Amino acid sequence: SDLLASMHSTVRAVEAIVSQVRTTTRSSVVAPHERAVRQERARMQELIGATLEKEREAAAKRRGRLEELRRVEAETRDRAAEVRGKVSEDLPSALERECVRRSEKKDERSRVAS
């Protein structure tokens, strides 16, 4: 009976020691590791967030440049159409003036020659 009581006492003492070791291990080894892991995870999420934000800004700039290029292209196309229209309007009359000028020159040479 004394032996049994002594064994129970020893088992309780060992359980108390195991419990203390678990608590100590948890607070001195596991908890700091978990804390470090949480901090690293938070840091990585911040980095990812910052990278995504930079990517969004870069994409917005690219869209802005693309829109600017499209606007300039449209203006250039409009200006080219204007110039083509002007040339097509002016060309016949310019050709006619040139023909008249050459004809007058030819007539003048003929008069001078005769």
Side-chain angles (χ1 to χ4, degrees):
S1 183
D2 277 346
L3 181 59
L4 193 55
S6 173
M7 285 177 75
H8 278 303
S9 173
T10 305
V11 167
R12 280 194 295 279
V14 168
E15 285 174 346
I17 291 169
V18 167
S19 175
Q20 185 61 44
V21 167
R22 280 189 182 140
T23 303
T24 303
T25 302
R26 172 114 185 91
S27 64
S28 65
V29 176
V30 176
H33 176 71
E34 287 175 345
R35 209 171 16 259
V37 167
R38 278 194 307 275
Q39 288 171 345
E40 185 63 17
R41 187 175 295 130
R43 194 178 70 76
M44 291 305 260
Q45 285 173 341
E46 276 181 36
L47 260 174
I48 290 167
T51 303
L52 287 174
E53 185 58 32
K54 284 180 187 173
E55 259 318 299
R56 278 193 289 274
E57 288 171 6
K61 282 182 186 175
R62 284 191 298 272
R63 275 193 305 279
R65 284 194 294 264
L66 185 59
E67 287 168 8
E68 176 68 12
L69 284 173
R70 285 182 180 146
R71 187 184 60 74
V72 168
E73 181 184 30
E75 287 173 3
T76 305
R77 218 179 10 257
D78 293 348
R79 182 71 182 122
E82 252 178 60
V83 168
R84 275 194 302 277
K86 188 140 179 62
V87 165
S88 65
E89 288 170 11
D90 292 351
L91 193 58
S93 58
L95 286 172
E96 189 178 324
R97 282 193 305 273
E98 183 62 21
C99 286
V100 168
R101 191 181 66 76
R102 286 182 182 193
S103 175
E104 288 171 352
K105 224 181 213 184
K106 196 176 184 183
D107 290 348
E108 192 177 316
R109 273 186 261 148
S110 296
R111 277 196 302 267
V112 171
S114 43

